[in-house]
Every structure is written in structure tokens, then in C-alpha cells.
Amino acid sequence: MLSATGWGTLAAGVVLTATGYAFGYGEAAALGVTCLLAVAVAVLWALPAPALDAERRTAPSRVVRGYHAEAVVTLTNTGDRTRRGLRALDRCGDRDIAVDVPPLRPGTSHELRYALPTARRGRVPVGPLRLERTDPLGLARRMRPYGDADTLLVRPRICPLPVLPSGRAHHVEGPASDTADDGSLTFHALREYVLGDDLRRVHWRSTARTGTLMVRQMVDVSLPHTTLMLDTRQRAHASEDDFELAVDCAASVAYAAARSHFPVHLVGAAGPLLHTEGSGDDGEALLDALAVVHRADLTSVTAAFDGLEHHRGGGTLIVVTGTGDTRGLGTADRVRHRFDRVTVLRVGTEDAATHETSGPGTDVPQMRVTSLEDLVTGWRREAVR
């Protein structure tokens, strides 16, 4: 395709050639023909597609918001001619990144490195790479895609936090509920053998008495559960930066629990987002889920608390909201009796007094957070409360 300069040169060539021949101006006609020949040569220069191989990698593929990430593209000239006048254009999110490519001799490779934007969370599409070949005068260019597209996942920032202690005193014979987590600490009851049960737990006296293979059911009664409700309503946060800070706070709380192999139930304003059971990769899964959370155009968070009315009971409920509209947060009073501990984080830099508010009761601890440093300080005080 012709550039803007190329189209201008073509138009000037046509006008000058026609005028020169019509009025007998030889100089004008010669200049016009020169312009037309220049455009023709430029098109022929840019027309051949270079024989190149492109290999891309994103280092790293997952990055914390604000940290450095880069794309590494290796170009190899697989043809038999030296390639000059190439420029690489890589699509990253909603903008192009341009990088000049030096001359490539046959069989040689060149590595391109350029920084990728990590200022905002989310899944950032990268590529495909496009190579632009232009003539020396910049009149014509040809663009061709090379390689495959990639994805950069920008995660929220986190800070190290302890897990809030929670729990109720249990009977010495174990919990009264069958919903406790299977484990190895406390005897709960006898039940029939299920394929895969540890034979060391077989209770032989009961087996002999009933004629059915019976095993001891062991549970972990002290395993803390963390339920995290992130208020994703647009009107709850005064700005996009405040919402990003709220996600960072939620990620820090969730990752602290997952790092200790404790179950985490993540809930958004519209309902559940992710539930983890305490395995080794839960922290990574939670960060990946929070990386793609966006603000929602909802009026209330009532739906989020409605889903917690059938919570198994116990553990900690952490509500992360902004300093704006708190409509629907009063519903937390309806489910707070199902948790051992409830804490509200009010994240943001300023209060939006014009919004309607109906927050949780005054006896629910509320922590004001304006930075991750505030979260660390306040969280440590809350942990020893």
C-alpha cells in the first residue's frame, strides 16, 4: 500500500504529466513522469515478501502489576538475500509498539526486545507481529503478519499478611457437624469403608460386631476457612486507582490464606468467583482469577451475601469495598452469625458523601486502607485483637 507521501507523489505525477503534455511544458511533464516512476519503483521495492521466521516469547508470561515484562522476538532470514528496510510492529493491548530491524543477511538471526505495558491488571493480548517493509523514500510499504499471538497476564500486587485467627471451641470428641474437612487430627465418627480409604483406619471391633467393614472418620477441626467478598461495583469506588488498590488488598488476603494451605472462598458483587480447598497451587489460581476482575455496573451487593446464607459456618468473612456507595453492605448483618469473625476493609483515598450508604453494623470492625502499607499495619493489629 502507498503511504500518504506516496499518494501525494502519485497525484502530483499525474497532474504534472497531464499538464505538461497538454500545454507543452516539457519540464513539467518530465517531473511528472519522474514522480510516477518513483512510485512504481517504490511499489516494486516493497512488493516482495521477505522470507523470515519469527519466534516469540513473553518473559514472564505472568507479572505483578507495575513490574517489568518484555516480549522477545527472534527473527531469522531464511531467504538468500539480505533484507533491509524492515520495521517490526507488535500489537500490545490497544496500541502498537514499533521497533526497527537492522539488515539481516541470509541465515542470520536478530533478537528484538521491548517492554510491555503492565500498569493495569488484566489479560493483555500481544501480537501477532507485523513486519513492515518500506522503500528508501517512504512512498510504499507492505505489511505482513509473522508468528503467533501471545498473552500477558498482569496480576494484582500483594503484600505479606498473616492469617486472621478464627475458630470456635469444639467438643473433645470432634465437631458436631459432618461438614468438617477430612483430615488426620481428630476422631469424629465411624462409617462404612469406601474404596480408597486407608486400611490403617479400619475399626476391627465394630467390623466384627456389624459384619461390615468400618473405618474411623478423622477430621481437621481447626482448619481456618476464609470467605472473601470483593465489592466490584463501579459506584463503590471513587476512581479506577481505588478499585485497583481494593483488588490488591483482596489478593493479599486471599494469597496469605492460600499460602498456608487454607480453603478460600472468593465472592464478587454478583456472586461466587472461585473456591479453593487448600492445595499447593491455590495461591496462583486466586491471583489469576483476580487478575481479570473488572468493575461491574451493579447497584447493590445483596446478591453476594444471599449466596452466603447457606455457608457451612465458621471461619472468617472479609469484605473489601470502597469509600463510595455502600448500598447492600448492611446485608452482611444477616450472615455474620455464620462466621467466627467478620472484618470490613474500606479501601480508597476519599469519601464519596453524596452516595447512599447502608453499611454493616457499627460493631463490625472496619479498617480504612489508603495503601498496601496501611493494610499491613492495620492487618497486624487486627490479627492480635
Side-chain angles (χ1 to χ4, degrees):
M1 60 182 297
L2 295 180
S3 63
T5 304
W7 283 111
T9 304
L10 178 63
V14 171
V15 171
L16 289 172
T17 303
T19 302
Y21 280 106
F23 296 97
Y25 294 126
E27 294 82 357
L31 183 58
V33 171
T34 302
C35 291
L36 295 177
L37 288 176
V39 172
V41 171
V43 171
L44 293 176
W45 178 286
L47 187 61
L52 296 173
D53 281 341
E55 182 180 350
R56 172 210 302 285
R57 63 184 176 90
T58 303
S61 60
R62 291 177 172 87
V63 66
V64 176
R65 179 170 66 91
Y67 280 55
H68 178 74
E70 64 180 6
V72 182
V73 178
T74 303
L75 296 176
T76 303
N77 185 356
T78 58
D80 54 2
R81 298 174 52 191
T82 299
R83 296 299 176 183
R84 293 182 174 87
L86 295 179
R87 187 173 66 153
L89 293 174
D90 208 3
R91 190 71 174 176
C92 186
D94 57 355
R95 65 188 182 94
D96 286 332
I97 299 176
V99 183
D100 291 329
V101 180
L104 288 177
R105 295 191 300 273
T108 61
S109 299
H110 180 72
E111 189 175 81
L112 303 177
R113 290 177 175 266
Y114 41 92
L116 299 175
T118 61
R120 292 294 180 186
R121 286 178 308 104
R123 203 177 299 275
V124 182
V126 182
L129 181 75
R130 294 163 295 161
L131 283 180
E132 180 184 76
R133 177 177 170 83
T134 61
D135 66 288
L137 298 178
L139 301 180
R141 63 178 181 175
R142 175 171 180 168
M143 192 171 295
R144 181 181 177 184
Y146 285 84
D148 299 325
D150 204 350
T151 301
L152 172 67
L153 187 65
V154 182
R155 291 168 158 184
R157 295 183 299 162
I158 59 174
C159 59
L161 297 176
V163 179
L164 290 184
S166 64
R168 297 170 180 159
H170 296 279
H171 193 272
V172 293
E173 296 297 331
S177 172
D178 291 329
T179 62
D181 298 300
D182 288 336
S184 59
L185 297 179
T186 306
F187 170 75
H188 174 53
L190 293 174
R191 59 171 175 80
E192 292 186 9
Y193 174 83
V194 177
L195 185 63
D197 283 339
D198 188 349
L199 292 178
R200 291 175 296 181
R201 295 185 181 181
V202 174
H203 193 265
W204 295 110
R205 290 185 180 181
S206 298
T207 299
R209 185 173 61 253
T210 62
T212 303
L213 195 60
M214 305 293 291
V215 296
R216 300 180 184 87
Q217 181 182 357
M218 311 298 289
V219 295
D220 290 339
V221 298
S222 59
L223 192 63
H225 288 69
T226 299
T227 300
L228 181 64
M229 202 289 286
L230 173 61
D231 190 352
T232 55
R233 295 175 303 137
Q234 187 166 351
R235 63 182 61 194
H237 305 275
S239 65
E240 186 69 26
D241 289 337
D242 283 355
F243 178 67
E244 290 298 321
L245 179 59
V247 177
D248 292 345
C249 293
S252 300
V253 174
Y255 190 79
R259 183 187 53 199
S260 300
H261 303 289
F262 296 150
V264 178
H265 184 50
L266 181 62
V267 183
L273 297 176
L274 182 66
H275 180 76
T276 63
E277 296 291 347
S279 66
D281 296 329
D282 287 350
E284 302 300 314
L286 287 165
L287 292 180
D288 288 349
L290 287 169
V292 295
V293 168
H294 299 288
R295 300 170 75 178
D297 190 16
L298 300 174
T299 59
S300 175
V301 292
T302 303
F305 292 110
D306 289 343
L308 299 178
E309 288 188 338
H310 303 290
H311 183 266
R312 53 176 292 164
T316 303
L317 172 62
I318 308 295
V319 179
V320 182
T321 186
T323 57
D325 185 6
T326 59
R327 191 177 313 174
L329 288 178
T331 317
D333 293 332
R334 196 172 65 217
V335 300
R336 57 176 300 185
H337 67 280
R338 306 194 64 85
F339 298 90
D340 301 333
R341 190 169 192 160
V342 179
T343 302
V344 176
L345 302 184
R346 301 291 304 276
V347 182
T349 55
E350 61 181 9
D351 290 319
T354 57
H355 289 294
E356 177 182 339
T357 59
S358 57
T362 56
D363 54 339
V364 175
Q366 297 192 28
M367 187 187 310
R368 182 64 182 273
V369 178
T370 59
S371 66
L372 287 181
E373 290 74 16
D374 286 348
L375 175 63
V376 173
T377 303
W379 195 262
R380 288 174 179 170
R381 286 198 301 263
E382 183 69 14
V384 298
R385 184 177 62 84

